[in-house]
Amino acid sequence: MSREAEVRYHSDQEIAKGFGDKLERLREAERRYRAVQASGAPVEELREVALDLDRALTDALRSAEAAQRATFGVKAYDDRIARRKGRATPDGALWTAEVNRLRTMREAHRLQIPRVPRAAAVIR
């Protein structure tokens, strides 16, 4: 186990501690997005809320990825076999499924972010 792996492990543990808060922020951003979407708000407002949801999804995904790496253990940072063994544990499988779920949600959401049309250029 290298010193770098140990530093990354501890860093990931710190990032993973905030997963619950980030997940709650994600739920709130999704509720706000659904409410604005249902209200028929202008595209600009819907886009702002959609981008906020995207940021919340990204933060939650990064935290889940850190928790996944930390769950695999320190050796997994340097050894792919240890990573595979870590993924096969119940906790490792749980975090892997959570990372995949969040990644899929983020990618599906990014396809639905409304685009704001640019103002037509005035030709003189």
Side-chain angles (χ1 to χ4, degrees):
M1 155 176 74
S2 68
R3 176 73 181 137
E4 180 185 342
E6 191 173 336
V7 168
R8 289 174 57 203
Y9 173 73
H10 291 296
S11 173
D12 281 343
Q13 282 183 322
E14 287 300 314
I15 293 169
K17 285 180 183 177
F19 179 72
D21 295 334
K22 290 178 181 172
L23 198 58
E24 186 55 40
R25 181 176 172 266
L26 170 61
R27 288 182 185 125
E28 181 58 37
E30 188 172 16
R31 277 192 289 269
R32 197 169 39 251
Y33 174 70
R34 298 292 176 213
V36 170
Q37 193 177 34
S39 73
V43 176
E44 294 83 7
E45 184 180 346
L46 184 60
R47 179 173 172 76
E48 274 304 311
V49 177
L51 291 175
D52 185 48
L53 176 57
D54 183 60
R55 284 187 289 274
L57 276 164
T58 300
D59 288 346
L61 176 61
R62 286 183 180 151
S63 185
E65 287 172 337
Q68 178 189 35
R69 288 188 301 266
T71 300
F72 293 167
V74 179
K75 290 182 182 180
Y77 287 88
D78 292 334
D79 184 18
R80 70 179 182 83
I81 301 299
R83 249 187 322 275
R84 287 186 64 195
K85 286 181 178 180
R87 200 172 277 126
T89 64
D91 287 341
L94 180 119
W95 281 111
T96 300
E98 184 66 14
V99 166
N100 289 337
R101 183 184 73 83
L102 287 170
R103 189 172 289 133
T104 301
M105 275 180 62
R106 185 182 69 170
E107 295 306 314
H109 174 68
R110 285 185 173 177
L111 292 173
Q112 298 174 4
I113 294 176
R115 299 192 185 278
V116 176
R118 294 184 185 178
V122 178
I123 301 175
R124 293 183 184 199

